[in-house]
């Protein structure tokens, strides 16, 4: 199961790297969904890295998440405002952890 496309309706649990974090957070096990324009479900992300390679405008940066049971780093959408909505990241993510929605 991939990212919930309605995750933006969840309570905002905080801010990180210039973007909001949605849903329950209990680090290092539960990390929520990071980003509003470009949302990455940190609880699904396996650190495949294909989104980082695919993005033409460098929206993502690795964020270390030691102790997380799924992967010890995540593709963090620190530069989501630069997104040009090409959907490359959405299409390459092997676990469908990314949802992109223009503001
Ligand atoms: S939709 Fe395109 S520009 Fe936006 S984050 Fe994904 S790969 Fe980057």
């Amino acid at each position: 199961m991939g990212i919930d496309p309605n995750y933006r309706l969840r309570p905002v649990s905080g801010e990180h790297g210039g973007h909001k974090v949605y849903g329950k957070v209990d680090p290092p096990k539960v990390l929520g969904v990071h980003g509003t324009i470009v949302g990455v479900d940190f609880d699904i992300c396996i650190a495949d890295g294909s989104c980082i390679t695919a993005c033409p405008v460098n929206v993502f940066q690795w964020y270390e998440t030691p102790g997380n049971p799924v992967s010890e780093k995540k593709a963090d959408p620190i530069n989501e405002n630069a997104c040009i909505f090409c959907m490359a990241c959405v299409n390459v993510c092997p676990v469908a952890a990314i949802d992109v929605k223009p503001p």
Side-chain angles (χ1 to χ4, degrees):
M1 194 177 78
I3 186 172
D4 172 9
N6 295 316
Y7 79 85
R8 296 172 185 84
L9 302 175
R10 297 178 188 173
V12 174
S13 53
E15 299 254 343
H16 169 253
H19 55 257
K20 291 177 180 172
V21 180
Y22 294 85
K24 186 183 165 199
V25 171
D26 184 17
K29 290 187 175 173
V30 182
L31 301 173
V33 181
H34 283 233
T36 302
I37 300 168
V38 180
V40 180
D41 191 333
F42 274 22
D43 297 311
I44 297 175
C45 176
I46 58 170
D48 172 76
S50 53
C51 60
I52 291 179
T53 303
C55 182
V57 291
N58 298 320
V59 162
F60 306 98
Q61 186 178 79
W62 285 123
Y63 177 63
E64 301 293 323
T65 57
N68 181 258
V70 180
S71 60
E72 299 218 323
K73 60 182 180 178
K74 307 292 178 182
D76 199 16
I78 57 152
N79 198 19
E80 65 173 358
N81 289 314
C83 180
I84 57 171
F85 312 111
C86 70
M87 300 299 168
C89 58
V90 173
N91 292 329
V92 297
C93 180
V95 291
I98 306 173
D99 187 79
V100 173
K101 187 177 179 187

